[in-house]
Amino acid sequence: MFFVDSYQHFFRPLTGKYREQVVECLRLLYERLYTAKADYGESLLREQILEIFAEALTRAPQLDSEDGVQDPEGRFRNLRDQAVWVLNSLVEFGWLEKQVDSATLTATYPFSRRGRLFTQPLVEVNGTRVRTRHRNTRNTLNALEAFASRGEIHDLIDAWEYSERIVADFTDMIAELEERKREMVREVEAQLLVQQATDEFFSFMESRFQPDLAIRLSADSVEKHRDAINRVIERIRRKEDMQKAEWEKRLRQFLPELVEQGQSLLWLMLDTIEDRMRRACEVKLPALRRALQGFTKRADIIIRQLSYLHSQAEGEFADLCQRLGESQQKTQILEQLGEELGGFQLRLFDPKQTQLWQRNRRQPVNTRVEDETPIGEENRREIELQQMLDQAFNFNNSNLRDYLSDALGTGRQINSRNLPLRDARDLLAMSHVIEAAAVNQSGAAELQVKFTGEIASNDYFTEFDEYILELKNSD
């Protein structure tokens, strides 16, 4: 059992409003005992530990209590009293051990085994230590090669443990990417700071992607080393039966808890390593790539949106949207905008008809001077005929404006039934008469088009809708 003896309430120091300060004390003490800052020739005495805890208590904040009410005065007179309380709590609940030297009667407070194992993740979660998790694939391969060449059973056990960390590391990185994506969205929703979002994204790419993820996806890719690992495993399986029997015997001595009737530990470890490599290649690596792609895509969307909002913060369009949102007459304003934008035409491309053409390679230009060949009479006639056909159906807004001006004359309105049809150009202009209102929006005069609801016909059209074209706001 885990919660026995002094470990019955092992996690109680990590609860309450002082939990963050206790965690900081454990981190700082762990760094002084087991990292590069440690002095292995000297044991930390009580006063030294209290100084470390006082420094940690100054760094860490005091959180609210469980009921949401924070004690304004606190339960300690100073930092030393609180450091003594933290030390006594950690000793009482099994994080630290009190060891007394029988010769000098001095007490030291090292970590207990469980305390050290549980404090290590608290230190590593900050990401300040140098980690080489991306080397587990190469470590698996190196350990298997060492086992195949020397036959040392510990190398096989190391390879088995390294292969387990490969899948675990993939899972940790996928969870980290998802957590960073949610954290980025949460911070952006709270602050809307484009510079902070950009800095955090590039900080992640520099501090985590380049030193770890990029190596995992390239130099230490499981796909790259999978075949080499499988070849070494096949070489081990082809060893002599006496050698494999000796390995099996030693494995059963070292790992009795894994022994099952009728099952070989050697074959179990080799099959497990192969299965883990297969899962890492076929499941975890694609999932990591999708998570990384989702993170970068979300960061790109957020940065683009924040950049656009930041650039439009002082623009007229943003002010108009803000005034519209605060106005009590949204319906009237939107109806007025609809009338003013009635002549606006929006045309969208059909995605099915849009194709992305590859850029053609430029053909070399022939710069040699050649004699001019005269165009034949038949070719000249075809060119002139094509130009006349192109010009016959070439119709623009200026032509329509001139046609309507001539048709109105000195009047102010005209029925589409009475539009003059003197030649083919007039017939073409009449077919575009519905666009008259949109064409005249840019002019000084306003032309209003009203549908009468009737159907008319003439010598050229079997039937067409009848409209009244009326000139407004014109001198």
Side-chain angles (χ1 to χ4, degrees):
M1 295 179 61
F2 181 85
F3 296 99
V4 293
D5 299 335
S6 61
Y7 303 104
Q8 291 185 2
H9 305 283
F10 183 72
F11 295 103
R12 179 171 293 180
L14 304 184
T15 61
K17 62 181 179 180
Y18 302 107
R19 54 188 181 274
E20 186 65 31
Q21 294 178 325
V22 173
V23 168
E24 187 64 25
C25 292
L26 290 172
R27 287 174 181 168
L28 199 57
L29 181 60
Y30 187 92
E31 292 178 358
R32 289 291 302 273
L33 291 177
Y34 301 107
T35 63
K37 301 179 181 179
D39 185 4
Y40 296 100
E42 178 184 2
S43 299
L44 296 180
L45 302 179
R46 177 183 175 87
E47 291 300 325
Q48 294 174 317
I49 294 179
L50 293 179
E51 292 178 1
I52 295 173
F53 284 1
E55 180 183 353
L57 294 173
T58 306
R59 296 181 183 179
Q62 177 179 328
L63 304 179
D64 295 337
S65 57
E66 295 180 357
D67 56 357
V69 180
Q70 186 174 359
D71 187 4
E73 297 180 358
R75 56 182 294 183
F76 307 109
R77 293 175 298 178
N78 49 46
L79 287 177
R80 180 177 175 82
D81 291 346
Q82 188 175 358
V84 172
W85 174 80
V86 172
L87 178 59
N88 294 335
S89 299
L90 294 177
V91 173
E92 178 182 357
F93 298 110
W95 289 83
L96 302 179
E97 295 178 349
K98 183 178 180 180
Q99 298 179 356
V100 180
D101 188 353
S102 58
T104 60
L105 298 180
T106 57
T108 57
Y109 297 87
F111 273 98
S112 64
R113 180 178 178 273
R114 297 185 184 183
R116 180 180 59 82
L117 293 177
F118 279 93
T119 305
Q120 183 177 359
L122 299 177
V123 176
E124 293 180 350
V125 76
N126 286 338
T128 56
R129 298 179 60 191
V130 178
R131 294 174 294 179
T132 57
R133 299 186 301 179
H134 57 269
R135 291 188 55 88
N136 285 328
T137 305
R138 277 176 283 180
N139 291 339
T140 303
L141 177 60
N142 295 336
L144 283 175
E145 290 179 344
F147 173 70
S149 60
R150 298 196 301 263
E152 179 60 42
I153 202 67
H154 294 285
D155 294 330
L156 178 59
I157 298 176
D158 291 341
W160 188 54
E161 293 180 353
Y162 287 136
S163 64
E164 181 181 5
R165 297 173 191 174
I166 294 174
V167 180
D169 290 344
F170 273 117
T171 305
D172 292 343
M173 285 187 294
I174 293 173
E176 180 182 356
L177 287 172
E178 295 296 333
E179 181 181 358
R180 285 183 176 272
K181 184 169 64 175
R182 292 192 297 266
E183 183 179 356
M184 180 182 297
V185 174
R186 184 169 57 251
E187 291 181 355
V188 168
E189 290 178 351
Q191 302 180 9
L192 290 178
L193 298 179
V194 60
Q195 185 63 36
Q196 181 176 353
T198 306
D199 292 344
E200 290 182 357
F201 172 72
F202 286 107
S203 175
F204 169 78
M205 298 302 288
E206 293 176 359
S207 60
R208 287 289 288 118
F209 178 78
Q210 292 181 357
D212 194 358
L213 288 179
I215 298 177
R216 181 176 294 278
L217 296 175
S218 57
D220 195 64
S221 174
V222 289
E223 295 176 341
K224 178 180 178 181
H225 297 290
R226 179 184 182 182
D227 294 337
I229 291 176
N230 290 337
R231 287 194 298 268
V232 177
I233 291 177
E234 290 298 326
R235 193 173 65 190
I236 294 174
R237 286 173 173 170
R238 290 194 299 266
K239 295 289 185 178
E240 296 180 357
D241 293 341
M242 295 181 60
Q243 181 68 44
K244 290 186 288 187
E246 179 65 22
W247 290 339
E248 181 70 25
K249 180 179 179 181
R250 296 181 61 188
L251 281 174
R252 291 175 179 268
Q253 293 176 353
F254 279 108
L255 303 172
E257 66 275 6
L258 298 179
V259 176
E260 293 185 6
Q261 186 68 26
Q263 185 178 17
S264 171
L265 278 185
L266 177 62
W267 249 242
L268 173 64
M269 288 189 172
L270 297 179
D271 292 341
T272 303
I273 293 175
E274 282 186 333
D275 183 67
R276 288 169 179 173
M277 294 301 299
R278 181 184 61 82
R279 293 179 181 273
C281 292
E282 299 178 1
V283 180
K284 290 301 181 179
L285 185 59
L288 176 61
R289 288 170 177 167
R290 289 194 299 268
L292 181 60
Q293 183 180 6
F295 172 75
T296 54
K297 185 181 296 185
R298 179 61 60 87
D300 179 68
I301 293 174
I302 290 175
I303 293 174
R304 286 177 181 271
Q305 290 179 345
L306 293 180
S307 300
Y308 175 77
L309 294 176
H310 182 72
S311 62
Q312 297 292 331
E314 303 297 334
E316 182 178 357
F317 181 76
D319 296 340
L320 178 62
C321 293
Q322 185 176 2
R323 292 198 302 268
L324 179 62
E326 298 174 355
S327 176
Q328 301 296 332
Q329 301 177 351
K330 298 183 179 64
T331 304
Q332 293 81 354
I333 295 176
L334 291 176
E335 289 179 354
Q336 182 181 358
L337 290 174
E339 294 178 357
E340 294 179 355
L341 297 176
F344 179 75
Q345 296 182 356
L346 177 63
R347 298 180 180 179
L348 301 177
F349 290 99
D350 185 3
K352 296 182 180 179
Q353 302 297 330
T354 304
Q355 296 182 359
L356 181 62
W357 298 97
Q358 295 183 355
R359 185 175 180 180
N360 295 330
R361 185 176 180 182
R362 291 185 177 182
Q363 297 295 333
V365 179
N366 186 5
T367 59
R368 294 181 300 177
V369 178
E370 297 180 356
D371 296 336
E372 182 179 359
T373 304
I375 302 176
E377 186 66 25
E378 187 67 23
N379 294 335
R380 183 181 293 106
R381 186 181 299 107
E382 291 180 1
I383 293 174
E384 293 177 355
L385 180 60
Q386 186 64 37
Q387 290 178 353
M388 293 177 64
L389 289 175
D390 293 340
Q391 294 176 2
F393 294 96
N394 185 14
F395 191 80
N396 52 36
N397 297 339
S398 178
N399 300 132
L400 180 58
R401 190 180 300 109
D402 295 340
Y403 172 74
L404 291 175
S405 178
D406 295 339
L408 288 172
T410 58
R412 302 190 61 84
Q413 70 177 9
I414 187 173
N415 194 307
S416 60
R417 183 195 301 269
N418 302 325
L419 289 173
L421 299 175
R422 297 181 294 268
D423 51 18
R425 302 293 296 176
D426 293 347
L427 181 63
L428 188 61
M430 180 185 175
S431 63
H432 292 79
V433 72
I434 301 178
E435 302 177 8
V439 170
N440 284 270
Q441 290 299 325
S442 59
E446 178 183 356
L447 185 65
Q448 184 176 4
V449 180
K450 295 182 180 178
F451 178 52
T452 62
E454 298 182 1
I455 304 298
S457 63
N458 53 25
D459 297 338
Y460 304 98
F461 296 98
T462 303
E463 61 180 18
F464 59 87
D465 295 332
E466 184 176 305
Y467 293 89
I468 299 295
L469 286 78
E470 185 176 0
L471 197 61
K472 299 287 187 179
N473 302 329
S474 177
D475 297 334

